[in-house]
Amino acid sequence: MDFGIKGKKAIVCAASKGLGKGCAQALAREGVDVTICARGAEALNVTAKELASAGVKVTPVVCDVTTEAGRKALLAACPNPDILINNAGGPPPGDFKGFSLDDWRKAVEGNMITPIALIHATVYGMMDRGFGRIVNITSASIKHPIAALELSNGARLGLTGAVAVVARKAVKSNVTINGILPGPFDTDRLRGTTQKMAEARKVALSVVEAERKAAVPAGRFGSAEEFGAVVAFLCSAHAGYITGQNLLIDGGGYPGSL
Ligand code: NAP
């Protein structure tokens, strides 16, 4: 299927590795020029080279997207994107009792204010031009809160509510805003949390990994490639009638019928 987005321009945040990289790869394969960012230059430049092999223009921007200066640099590199993929690292785990107000402020800044700021800066230009696709990478935790991730549960649910109305206003101009809610995906982040769990329980990494996979009805973790392919479809010319939705990609992990 031709996705109909060849020649479009995308900003993909937090994309040197993991889910963001999967999105950038899938969009590049569809002929989209991509502006990608991450804080670490080394991995970002390696990823930029890989993406360029698809024959598209790739602009790497070394920045922390959760800062105003970082977002300014990103938007300066791609002022009028047709596609925006919002992503950043997730807040740290912990317990409600131990979180300070500053922990909450950081989580809200990184996973709620940052995507709102980028949407605000880009959505009206998209509407004027008559095409736009915005995807927020959130988490399955907005459907079923994860015990150790209260900072993430709160900030991401806040974002979801914050964009629900503008998603329905923008669609008349062929601009959509949707959330993608990943369950467990095989990325550095997941490998890191699995390692910590194994260390805490003093068991082998392979034991915790097998348990975590067994807890997913699909019996495995998702891959960044399949994640990117779904996001690319949501960004395609064919997906203009899908907006304000929050799609779980979790191998069947969410137990509800709806
Ligand atoms: P990952 O493999 O650790 O990759 C994170 C990417 O984001 C890296 O390229 C990293 O590069 C970049 N990054 C992190 N913080 C950044 C910042 N402030 N500014 C710019 N770039 C930044 O993580 P992932 O698994 O792809 O996760 C991506 C998001 O999805 C996270 O918010 C995570 O909580 C969420 N999520 C993941 C899963 C999962 O199973 N993987 C499930 C649910 C939700 P630098 O470190 O160099 O900046």
Side-chain angles (χ1 to χ4, degrees), residues 9-13 33-35 74-75 78 81 83-86 122:
K9 291 177 290 211
I11 290 178
V12 187
C13 303
D33 293 334
V34 288
T35 298
L74 197 52
L75 290 166
C78 184
I83 294 167
L84 167 66
I85 312 298
N86 276 314
T122 56

Side-chain angles (χ1 to χ4, degrees), residues 20-46:
K21 179 176 174 180
C23 296
Q25 280 173 321
L27 290 170
R29 266 198 299 273
E30 294 305 319
V32 174
D33 293 334
V34 288
T35 298
I36 57 171
C37 81
R39 293 162 303 177
E42 202 177 322
L44 186 69
N45 288 330
V46 171

Side-chain angles (χ1 to χ4, degrees), residues 22-252:
C23 296
Q25 280 173 321
L27 290 170
R29 266 198 299 273
E30 294 305 319
V32 174
D33 293 334
V34 288
T35 298
I36 57 171
C37 81
R39 293 162 303 177
E42 202 177 322
L44 186 69
N45 288 330
V46 171
T47 295
K49 263 197 193 143
E50 274 177 50
L51 295 172
S53 67
V56 296
K57 186 177 169 213
V58 181
T59 310
V61 179
V62 178
C63 71
D64 181 341
V65 73
T66 67
T67 65
E68 228 171 287
R71 293 190 290 272
K72 212 171 154 189
L74 197 52
L75 290 166
C78 184
N80 297 306
D82 306 296
I83 294 167
L84 167 66
I85 312 298
N86 276 314
N87 185 31
D95 179 75
F96 195 88
K97 194 172 182 184
F99 292 137
S100 66
L101 286 185
D102 255 1
D103 292 330
W104 282 105
R105 286 189 188 102
K106 266 188 210 141
V108 168
E109 187 70 36
N111 296 99
M112 182 177 170
I113 303 290
T114 292
I116 288 173
L118 288 172
I119 292 171
H120 191 266
T122 56
V123 72
Y124 300 105
M126 290 176 180
M127 288 165 74
D128 287 345
R129 295 189 299 276
F131 180 91
R133 300 285 183 263
I134 297 174
V135 175
N136 298 321
I137 300 179
T138 61
S139 170
S141 73
I142 70 168
K143 288 280 280 190
H144 54 97
I146 298 173
L149 293 179
E150 286 164 297
L151 293 173
S152 169
N153 301 339
R156 297 184 196 279
L157 200 49
L159 170 66
T160 305
V163 300
V165 171
V166 67
R168 286 157 176 91
K169 285 184 179 164
V171 69
K172 212 170 205 168
S173 305
N174 191 24
V175 176
T176 67
I177 306 178
N178 293 289
I180 295 276
L181 289 49
F185 275 79
D186 191 11
T187 65
D188 278 6
R189 177 176 166 94
L190 179 125
R191 285 187 284 274
T193 56
T194 309
Q195 178 74 43
K196 277 188 196 142
M197 289 159 87
E199 282 164 14
R201 286 172 49 196
K202 296 188 175 36
V203 296
L205 175 67
S206 57
V207 171
V208 182
E209 214 173 67
E211 284 173 7
R212 291 192 77 178
K213 283 182 184 167
V216 183
R220 64 177 178 87
F221 299 140
S223 75
E225 290 71 24
E226 63 191 334
F227 185 88
V230 174
V231 170
F233 176 74
L234 274 184
C235 295
S236 75
H238 312 294
Y241 206 54
I242 306 173
T243 199
Q245 299 306 300
N246 289 286
L247 178 66
L248 276 163
I249 315 184
D250 66 349

